Amino acid sequence: IKNLYLRAFKLKIQAHFDRINIRFLLKGVIKMLCEKWIWLPEDKYPDRQCCCYSDLEDDKGGLFTVAEFKREYAYGKKIASAKLRFSADTAFQLYINGEFYATGPASVGGDFLSNEKPRNYYYAYETEINPDSDALEFFARVRMKPDRGFEFSKGHGGFMLAAEIRFADGTKTVINTDNSWLVRFNGSYTQSRKFDSAVVPDEYVNAEEIFNLWHTETAPIPVCTESK
């Protein structure tokens, strides 16, 4: 009888931990679904997918690549606010409704050792905007490949943006980067801090959804902006 009670107790404890594990698993799945990354389609740009992890790495592999993403969401009713979460690999500039908004991502830092492998985590910014508009137009310029000592990559180009939009009538909707976004390779950016206006950017094509390598943490600092 004692063994039966002990077995029942162990089963109860196991069931409790199974429920906890399922809850944590579901949280992970939800985070993955909310964080959708996109990049240049691999079949069209096979040599512009991967890069080195750090500018301090001995083997600085990967082609210098600038990809530009855009997407417009028109709703026909006033947007009261939008909570944004966004990041990119390796560096980005984000414009919203034609205005420059942010640059990033926040550097994960470190002691500049073990540069032959990616950092354990990656940052995304979270912020809220109040556009006086019934539409949101996004444009992001993303550079793949670290070229400064404080820049780190997960080894693949990518861009991610998610938003919870609240309208003036109280309704809400959620948007994510996906293959409905357009992307182009802009070869005018020939290398770091060099631009050739004679090079015409490629035509826009649908972006490709890629595996989430980043699973970002929220940056502990405010969104970084630039001014003249």
Side-chain angles (χ1 to χ4, degrees):
I1 293 175
K2 182 179 180 180
N3 288 337
L4 288 174
Y5 274 116
L6 183 59
R7 183 180 179 188
F9 177 74
K10 288 181 177 179
L11 289 173
K12 185 176 181 180
I13 292 296
Q14 183 62 53
H16 173 71
F17 279 104
D18 285 345
R19 286 194 297 273
I20 292 175
N21 290 336
I22 289 170
R23 284 201 298 271
F24 275 105
L25 178 60
L26 288 174
K27 283 178 67 178
V29 170
I30 290 169
K31 184 175 180 181
M32 288 174 65
L33 290 175
C34 292
E35 189 174 297
K36 295 182 179 179
W37 287 75
I38 56 175
W39 188 241
L40 294 163
E42 187 174 7
D43 61 346
K44 188 173 177 65
Y45 299 98
D47 297 330
R48 298 189 180 275
Q49 300 294 311
C50 301
C51 67
C52 56
Y53 301 126
S54 167
D55 187 51
L56 304 174
E57 192 176 349
D58 292 334
D59 180 13
K60 297 180 177 62
L63 298 175
F64 182 87
T65 299
V66 171
E68 295 176 330
F69 300 84
K70 68 176 184 177
R71 177 72 156 85
E72 182 178 5
Y73 297 88
Y75 296 104
K77 55 182 178 180
K78 188 173 181 180
I79 299 169
S81 65
K83 295 179 180 179
L84 305 177
R85 182 179 178 87
F86 51 90
S87 187
D89 193 330
T90 305
F92 70 86
Q93 295 171 314
L94 177 65
Y95 294 77
I96 302 176
N97 289 350
E99 298 289 333
F100 174 76
Y101 184 72
T103 185
S107 176
V108 295
D111 55 11
F112 304 107
L113 299 176
S114 303
N115 296 303
E116 71 284 352
K117 59 183 180 181
R119 293 300 191 263
N120 292 330
Y121 56 96
Y122 206 83
Y123 282 138
Y125 284 129
E126 282 192 0
T127 188
E128 185 170 344
I129 60 174
N130 303 98
D132 185 19
S133 174
D134 61 358
L136 283 174
E137 182 180 0
F138 296 101
F139 174 84
R141 180 176 295 115
V142 179
R143 167 174 54 81
M144 180 190 77
K145 192 174 184 181
D147 72 347
R148 301 175 187 178
F150 59 84
E151 292 181 343
F152 299 95
S153 171
K154 284 287 190 176
H156 198 292
F159 172 62
M160 176 276 293
L161 184 144
E164 181 186 76
I165 301 170
R166 183 173 61 85
F167 299 98
D169 62 8
T171 58
K172 295 180 181 180
T173 190
V174 174
I175 61 174
N176 294 94
T177 38
D178 57 21
N179 57 16
S180 68
W181 283 60
L182 297 178
V183 62
R184 70 179 180 184
F185 166 63
N186 191 341
S188 303
Y189 297 88
T190 56
Q191 54 183 297
S192 180
R193 293 173 286 280
K194 289 193 176 181
F195 183 85
D196 185 352
S197 59
V199 178
V200 178
D202 287 4
E203 295 293 323
Y204 278 102
V205 296
N206 289 97
E208 182 174 300
E209 294 184 37
I210 58 176
F211 182 75
N212 183 2
L213 296 168
W214 297 267
H215 301 290
T216 58
E217 301 291 334
T218 302
I221 60 174
V223 171
C224 182
T225 60
E226 297 177 358
S227 59
K228 294 181 181 180

